[in-house]
Amino acid sequence: MNENALTAFLTLAETGSFQHAARVMGVSNASFSRYIGQAEDHAGLVLFHRRRNSSTLTRAGQEFLPIAKALRQDLDRYATRVASLRDAGPGTFLIGCGPLTTRSLIVPVLRSVRQVMPDLRFRILVSAYARPLDLLQAGQFDVFLGDLTYTPDADNVEIMVMEKRQIQFVAHPDHEIHQRGPQTMAGVFDFPFASPHLHKHWRATLIKSLGGNTEAVNKVNAQPNIECDDYNFLTGLLAEPDYIVGGMPDTFSELISTKKVKPVSMKQSLSWNICAARKSQNTSTALELCWSELAKHRA
């Protein structure tokens, strides 16, 4: 179905008036009528009951409506993806990831892929995405890396679980927490805490570690005191003995080696739950190479 016919069908289904729908599309009544005829010819169905002052969907038209809406969504995704390709240029690999993965997974994978494909361009979009698989399905990413622990199974998506790694908490060397000995999570949350967005998995894990009662729920819901998905900003907070920050050990390794920050001694340990995801029907040399490199870090 051509796009004019599709737009005409959806517009008339919404407005119920030939004249109004023609004005919405900015075409003459005759052109609009021709587009509706094309839509019905393409579908092989009578889609509208035509009356003097209104038009309503036939039963066949009602059943065709969700199909047409899905087609419109597909065309919109196509247009967005092509526009993105024009902006980025060919040969750009799109990676969406959560803040924890940038140094631990993204950097080593990029280093390996670029040895094989030095001209490949990368666009890395870092955020604690709420619905990453929707963005993956829509073509916003070639690969996503982040917390997918409680994500339901998605059609046409391949998910690979990464090796578990322990979370580290750090603070300025003069921070009071270092004088208190090994800490539980409850002890960490006695102080101002800064971190990326706490995914629902992290909140559930932290609530459980704090005892799982109402007090634990309230304490976790009040965290973090400062939320930011940029670790450069978070580690900048550690220049003063105010905040505790959680993340992957390699995020803090340079600061620890220069003694600008100090790891918090912990009684409890927390592990990340990171997965890689890609659309199963998509493939390219770059994607297969990236996926094979990620597979070296899987559980």
Side-chain angles (χ1 to χ4, degrees), residues 5-174:
L6 175 64
T7 301
F9 168 76
L10 291 171
T11 306
L12 184 56
E14 180 179 355
T15 64
S17 165
F18 258 75
Q19 290 186 341
H20 186 191
R23 287 197 299 271
V24 170
M25 281 193 68
V27 299
S28 67
N29 289 349
S31 294
F32 187 83
S33 181
R34 184 171 68 255
Y35 294 148
I36 292 297
Q38 291 173 354
E40 292 186 322
D41 288 344
H42 180 87
L45 299 165
V46 176
L47 301 174
F48 292 96
H49 295 298
R50 292 168 172 79
R51 298 183 176 87
R52 183 180 180 88
N53 296 318
S54 66
S55 297
T56 57
L57 288 169
T58 63
R59 181 172 179 178
Q62 292 173 0
E63 293 180 356
F64 183 70
L65 181 60
I67 300 173
K69 288 181 176 179
L71 177 57
R72 166 56 63 197
Q73 291 173 351
D74 287 341
L75 289 172
D76 290 344
R77 281 195 291 267
Y78 164 80
T80 300
R81 193 71 177 88
V82 170
S84 176
L85 182 61
R86 289 196 199 102
D87 292 340
T92 299
F93 194 78
L94 306 176
I95 300 177
C97 63
L100 290 180
T101 65
T102 50
R103 291 196 182 193
S104 300
L105 291 176
I106 302 297
V107 169
V109 166
L110 292 190
R111 188 178 295 119
S112 298
V113 171
R114 291 195 71 254
Q115 289 179 355
V116 180
M117 304 180 70
D119 295 330
L120 184 65
R121 297 173 60 197
F122 293 89
R123 180 177 292 172
I124 317 297
L125 307 172
V126 183
S127 180
Y129 295 94
R131 299 182 65 83
L133 295 190
D134 289 347
L135 297 174
L136 184 71
Q137 293 279 31
Q140 298 297 309
F141 312 135
D142 292 305
V143 168
F144 175 77
L145 284 160
D147 194 324
L148 299 175
T149 308
Y150 288 98
T151 301
D153 292 338
D155 293 336
N156 301 318
V157 173
E158 182 179 354
I159 294 178
M160 178 166 55
V161 180
M162 298 289 102
E163 177 187 3
K164 288 187 179 293
R165 303 188 188 188
Q166 286 194 357
I167 301 298
Q168 186 175 61
F169 299 93
V170 299
H172 188 278
D174 295 335

